[in-house]
Amino acid sequence: MAGPGEEEDVMARYRSPLVSRYASAEMAYNFSERKKFGTWRRLWLYLAQAEKSLGLPITDEQIQEMEANLDNIDFKMAAEEEKKLRHDVMAHVHTFAHCCPKAAAIIHLGATSCYVGDNTDLIVLRDGFNLLLPKLARVISRLADFAEKYADMPALGFTHYQPAQLTTVGKRCCLWIQDLCMDLQNLERARDDLRFRGVKGTTGTQASFLQLFEGDHSKVEELDRLVTAKAGFKRAYMVTGQTYSRKVDIGVLSVLASLGASIHKICTDIRLLANLKEIEEPFEKDQIGSSAMPYKRNPMRSERCCSLARHLMTLVMDPLQTASVQWFERTLDDSANRRVCLAEAFLTADIILSTLQNVSEGLVVYPKVIERRIRQELPFMATENIIMAMVKAGGNRQDCHEKIRVLSQQAAAVVKQEGGDNDFIARVRADPYFSPIHKKLESLLDPSSFTGRAPQQVAKFLKEEVRPALIPYQSKMGGKIELAL
């Protein structure tokens, strides 16, 4: 431990990797002590301004003094006051009053601790959404460009992770995009549904403010409205206990957990495709994939997203349990839990969105590998086309079906038992029975004829649903993002 007056070695203390290793400076600041306590002072200013405008004896000089010291925070003094008082809000009331001696008497007038605590939380949650939404829009935009570029490229589809009908590389990407578009809509709704706690007093009855305004209910309502507007909210919750309902936190973390599920699925798909060598995330020139196996190109970005997304998905359990045990007007067992889960949810969402943006900006496609896998599986998928062509050429369906059954089983044995390539088409070519359609085999095996309306679906989806959803974020699409450690 560092002695008195010695500079503490920050490397000797645990620091959350969410901040020290991954998160953006903007999101880290949003949940910082400076943002929190600076917002407390602004809320005290808004309250004093509104109370003055409604007739309470507050002077311009007092207001000006508060305005001049909004960011003049003596954090050392505040820490000493909190250690003495065991109350964070009163510690900062005293610290603010120390640099605003003329305004000291009216700071926090009529308010309870949750006036600054809960209202600041709501501001921080709103601002957190405003940081996440453009990042999510950028990811969608990058993936939309990728889907458009590869809308026509056939690829083997998988159900149960077993070969299925063909899709296209772009169409598969649209499955990812659709989930993220749902998340964009959910985050927008959750942000827009947030209301301000406002000025409600110790148990939500506004009794202290009614007393300040000598029983004038209209002035108390106007005070609530004025402070709500100054904080940038259109509405306040009409009823609260000492706190705003903790169900609000459930709604906030639910949409973030849902985003985590979407990104986990996307990055799992990318990891599986990397194993198949069809698509890879970007790999830096000097990046090392393994300390023991120099040839490896591990999908570490996608793995990071999955790892952190799991953490994000579990965090919603905290507000669920907290809301369920809030006794009557409030208990304090919510406080420590919320300090952790709210910040970590936004920091984690911020990190995985930044990482996924980096991945989506550098996805590498290997067409030859994709084509080879199609060639291995397509012959079996083309059997129905071959039967139909033979029938049109005068053959008997049952006879043809039996011929194909025998040849396909022989080809399957080569693949599974001998480890060879699928030679089903070569067997069809070698069988005189199929001579009427030998010249048609190439066209019957054209991969693009097996992708259905996938290219058209991509074009329509991007044009009618995706691009319009991104219009509000066009000015924030920015350039490429650098990957964190």
Side-chain angles (χ1 to χ4, degrees):
M1 295 293 292
E6 295 180 27
E7 183 176 349
E8 187 173 359
D9 181 3
V10 295
M11 302 307 290
R13 297 182 63 188
Y14 173 78
R15 296 182 299 159
S16 169
L18 293 176
V19 174
S20 65
R21 190 172 178 89
Y22 299 128
S24 68
E26 296 82 5
M27 190 62 79
Y29 173 76
N30 190 51
F31 287 92
S32 69
E33 299 287 89
R34 185 168 295 282
K35 167 77 176 276
K36 174 181 177 180
F37 297 129
T39 303
W40 283 12
R41 291 194 174 189
R42 283 161 176 79
L43 287 168
W44 283 321
L45 173 64
Y46 300 156
L47 181 62
Q49 290 172 328
E51 288 174 337
K52 178 181 182 298
S53 71
L54 292 169
L56 292 189
I58 296 172
T59 67
D60 289 338
E61 192 175 21
Q62 289 173 314
I63 296 293
Q64 291 164 5
E65 188 179 52
M66 293 173 72
E67 289 175 332
N69 286 281
L70 291 176
D71 297 308
N72 178 27
I73 303 174
D74 187 337
F75 288 100
K76 183 178 180 181
M77 179 182 178
E80 291 170 352
E81 287 287 334
E82 184 173 355
K83 186 175 181 180
K84 179 174 63 176
L85 301 173
R86 308 301 296 179
H87 197 288
D88 56 351
V89 173
M90 287 309 299
H92 278 270
V93 169
H94 289 189
T95 303
F96 196 18
H98 180 75
C99 58
C100 298
K102 295 175 183 175
I106 55 94
I107 293 173
H108 199 65
L109 183 60
T112 186
S113 297
C114 285
Y115 166 69
V116 289
D118 271 32
N119 282 324
T120 293
D121 286 345
L122 290 161
I123 289 170
V124 168
L125 295 179
R126 177 198 64 194
D127 293 351
F129 278 127
N130 285 335
L131 290 171
L132 292 180
L133 281 163
K135 292 191 174 190
L136 177 52
R138 283 197 292 271
V139 170
I140 294 171
S141 175
R142 303 309 191 260
L143 289 175
D145 293 341
F146 179 86
E148 189 170 49
K149 180 177 181 180
Y150 294 101
D152 299 331
M153 181 179 286
L156 186 64
F158 291 94
T159 59
H160 315 276
Y161 201 36
Q162 300 299 314
Q165 282 191 346
L166 299 193
T167 182
T168 70
V169 172
K171 170 64 190 302
R172 175 178 284 146
C173 183
C174 284
L175 298 179
W176 305 340
I177 295 170
Q178 181 167 250
D179 286 353
L180 293 177
C181 284
M182 293 179 190
D183 293 314
L184 186 73
Q185 188 176 48
N186 289 340
L187 263 65
E188 289 173 337
R189 187 191 68 250
R191 177 199 59 189
D192 296 343
D193 282 350
L194 286 175
R195 300 190 192 185
F196 202 52
R197 177 191 176 274
V199 287
K200 297 296 194 298
T202 55
T203 58
T205 65
Q206 298 178 303
S208 58
F209 297 105
L210 192 62
Q211 185 176 1
L212 280 174
F213 289 104
E214 299 179 344
D216 190 331
H217 290 268
S218 63
K219 284 192 174 182
V220 176
E221 290 187 3
E222 181 64 6
L223 177 70
D224 206 359
R225 189 195 67 78
L226 287 172
V227 175
T228 296
K230 286 177 181 292
F233 285 81
K234 295 179 180 179
R235 298 179 298 170
Y237 296 107
M238 294 185 70
V239 294
T240 71
Q242 188 172 94
T243 69
Y244 67 79
S245 171
R246 294 313 185 214
K247 281 188 71 68
V248 173
D249 296 342
I250 296 174
V252 169
L253 264 65
S254 290
V255 298
L256 296 181
S258 183
L259 172 65
S262 299
I263 293 179
H264 198 297
K265 183 265 192 292
I266 293 167
C267 290
T268 299
D269 282 357
I270 292 172
R271 291 164 66 189
L272 292 170
L273 289 167
N275 174 261
L276 297 175
K277 297 180 175 60
E278 292 191 6
I279 292 179
E280 287 182 342
E281 64 179 38
F283 196 86
E284 305 297 337
K285 177 177 177 289
D286 297 319
Q287 184 175 328
I288 295 175
S290 168
S291 61
M293 296 167 281
Y295 62 87
K296 293 193 76 177
R297 290 172 63 105
N298 298 331
M300 52 83 67
R301 295 164 172 81
S302 298
E303 289 173 319
R304 177 187 298 171
C305 284
C306 289
S307 182
L308 290 171
R310 286 200 299 273
H311 178 58
L312 178 56
M313 288 186 281
T314 64
L315 287 173
V316 73
M317 291 305 300
D318 278 335
L320 281 168
Q321 295 183 69
T322 295
S324 72
V325 296
Q326 288 300 288
W327 304 344
F328 304 115
E329 280 64 51
R330 79 93 41 105
T331 68
L332 196 60
D333 64 346
D334 63 337
S335 179
N337 185 284
R338 294 175 70 253
R339 287 176 191 268
V340 176
C341 71
L342 295 180
E344 288 204 354
F346 278 87
L347 288 165
T348 306
D350 177 71
I351 294 159
I352 59 177
L353 281 173
S354 295
T355 308
L356 184 56
Q357 180 184 336
N358 178 268
V359 169
S360 62
E361 287 171 346
L363 284 173
V364 181
V365 178
Y366 295 104
K368 296 299 181 184
V369 177
I370 295 173
E371 290 172 11
R372 183 175 185 275
R373 184 156 285 109
I374 290 174
R375 287 198 303 271
Q376 290 173 336
E377 301 293 341
L378 189 60
F380 293 152
M381 298 178 192
T383 55
E384 186 66 20
N385 288 11
I386 292 173
I387 291 173
M388 293 299 101
M390 280 295 296
V391 171
K392 288 181 181 179
N396 178 281
R397 186 191 184 283
Q398 281 65 41
D399 292 341
C400 184
H401 184 280
E402 178 59 19
K403 283 276 189 182
I404 287 178
R405 186 187 69 81
V406 172
L407 295 182
S408 62
Q409 288 188 2
Q410 292 171 350
V414 171
V415 173
K416 294 180 180 180
Q417 297 174 20
E418 301 175 18
D421 291 334
N422 188 332
D423 63 358
F424 172 73
I425 296 301
R427 292 175 185 273
V428 171
R429 289 187 190 281
D431 192 324
Y433 175 81
F434 293 99
S435 59
I437 63 165
H438 280 168
K439 294 182 179 179
K440 297 181 179 180
L441 283 175
E442 287 299 324
S443 62
L444 291 174
L445 291 167
D446 179 4
S448 64
S449 67
F450 290 83
T451 59
R453 298 193 64 255
Q456 291 75 21
Q457 288 178 346
V458 171
K460 186 177 179 67
F461 175 59
L462 296 180
K463 179 181 179 181
E464 297 185 10
E465 292 196 22
V466 179
R467 303 295 188 191
L470 300 179
I471 290 174
Y473 306 98
Q474 288 299 328
S475 63
K476 298 181 180 180
M477 286 304 175
K480 288 191 174 183
I481 193 168
E482 293 296 323
L483 182 68
L485 289 174

